[in-house]
């Protein structure tokens, strides 16, 4: 999406602690779809593409060199 062949870099301070209370994170919209009769308006790829474009056009709002929780 970004057109940049960057390697994935990990940092110990950004990884989930080994004794974390959450063992598995699973994202799904199935429950919302059934309970609320809801359907997403964007595919994951389209949503990521729009997010990248927003960030590119609003870089003054971000500090990419700084890790912030």
């Amino acid at each position: 999406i970004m057109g940049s062949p960057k390697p994935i870099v990990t940092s110990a301070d950004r990884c989930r602690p080994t004794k974390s209370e959450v063992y598995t994170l699973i994202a799904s919209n199935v429950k919302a779809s059934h309970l609320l009769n809801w359907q997403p308006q964007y595919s994951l790829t389209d949503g990521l593409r729009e997010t990248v474009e927003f960030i590119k056009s609003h870089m003054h709002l971000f500090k990419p060199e700084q890790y912030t929780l």
Side-chain angles (χ1 to χ4, degrees), residues 35-48:
L35 291 176
L36 305 172
N37 195 31
W38 171 85
Q39 293 297 318
Q41 295 179 7
Y42 294 87
S43 68
L44 177 60
T45 301
D46 291 339
L48 289 172

Side-chain angles (χ1 to χ4, degrees), residues 2-29:
M2 295 182 63
S4 179
K6 297 287 183 179
I8 296 173
V9 178
T10 59
S11 174
D13 61 334
R14 296 183 73 173
C15 291
R16 182 174 301 284
T18 55
K19 296 189 184 242
S20 172
E21 72 281 359
V22 179
Y23 299 108
T24 304
L25 298 176
I26 300 173
S28 174
N29 61 19

Side-chain angles (χ1 to χ4, degrees), residues 40-63:
Q41 295 179 7
Y42 294 87
S43 68
L44 177 60
T45 301
D46 291 339
L48 289 172
R49 187 174 289 116
E50 255 191 57
T51 300
V52 168
E53 289 306 314
F54 176 86
I55 291 171
K56 282 181 178 179
S57 62
H58 294 86
M59 280 303 294
H60 63 282
L61 300 174
F62 299 92
K63 298 177 184 173

